[in-house]
Amino acid sequence: MAEVVIVENSEAAGELVAAEIVELIEGRPDAVLGLATGSTPLPVYLALRSRLAGRDVSQVRGFALDEYVGLDPAHPESYRSVITREVVEPLGLDPRRIHVPNGAEATIQHAGGDYEAAIDAAGGVDLQLLGIGTDGHIGFNEPGSSFASRTRVKTLTEQTRADNARFFDSVDDVPRHCITQGLGTILRARHLVLLAFGEGKAQAVADAVEGPLSAFLPGSAIQLHPHATVVVDAAAASKLRLADYYRYTFANKPEWQGI
Ligand code: PGA
């Protein structure tokens, strides 16, 4: 199953995961990072600013999980814009090496296949950051997504649109469709790191980590992965039945193992 690490707060989670990413880049300067958007991964990106400062990151590559369909990439809430603002610019990455699915309507029919081919050409993703939606989605794989799915167009649930309305003027401005890496795509990454903070994520985390495998709860797909790490604060861990065991395991883990 996934390794669960319960940390003090989101800053501690950011530092823990950033340290892992720095180690990855030290060993492999052209590492391929799987980038997530939303509020959850922000502490990781923040911690990376100081940890990567002064290092050569010119070879680092990245693939975002998802993008809205039909939203101008120049819109401040397109995931292209978010990745540029939160990741590429502050970390000094080469924008030509950082990919985001193409949500343009004109080319949407082959955009999924193109993205899969680009990930394959890069040799796959080394470390995939993931948030989880209150409905259990990872990427934008809404409930019902096949565990074998590849990058494709999905329809956002009303709950996801409402959750994301905070980034837009109104819920009516949140696009109805997205293009997202599939669960099968995500499962091909070599290391999954799922983060979640706050009480609102507690049920989704418990279902993903300890619940039955089900397309109804896309996050449960991480149970199929040989190297998945779930980093949560106490509130997001509050519905985990084995929380004490996870704390004990991590406290007694040899330091050389990392996460
Ligand atoms: P959030 O979104 O990080 O903004 O909570 C997570 C998700 O929808 O995957």
Side-chain angles (χ1 to χ4, degrees), residues 36-41 65-66 79 130-135 137-140 160 163-164 166-167 195 197 201:
T37 48
S39 310
T40 304
L65 279 170
D66 44 17
Y79 285 172
L130 296 168
I132 187 163
T134 54
D135 65 359
H137 71 223
I138 55 174
F140 267 145
T160 298
D163 285 348
N164 288 7
R166 67 188 191 281
F167 296 117
L195 300 111
F197 310 116
K201 299 291 176 74

Side-chain angles (χ1 to χ4, degrees), residues 14-15 18 22 42-55 57 82-92:
E15 294 295 342
V22 170
L42 295 180
V44 178
Y45 302 142
L46 198 60
L48 281 172
R49 289 185 195 191
S50 52
R51 285 176 182 264
L52 288 179
R55 290 176 192 264
V57 291
V82 172
I83 291 287
T84 300
R85 193 167 62 234
E86 304 290 354
V87 186
V88 176
E89 288 174 349
L91 303 186

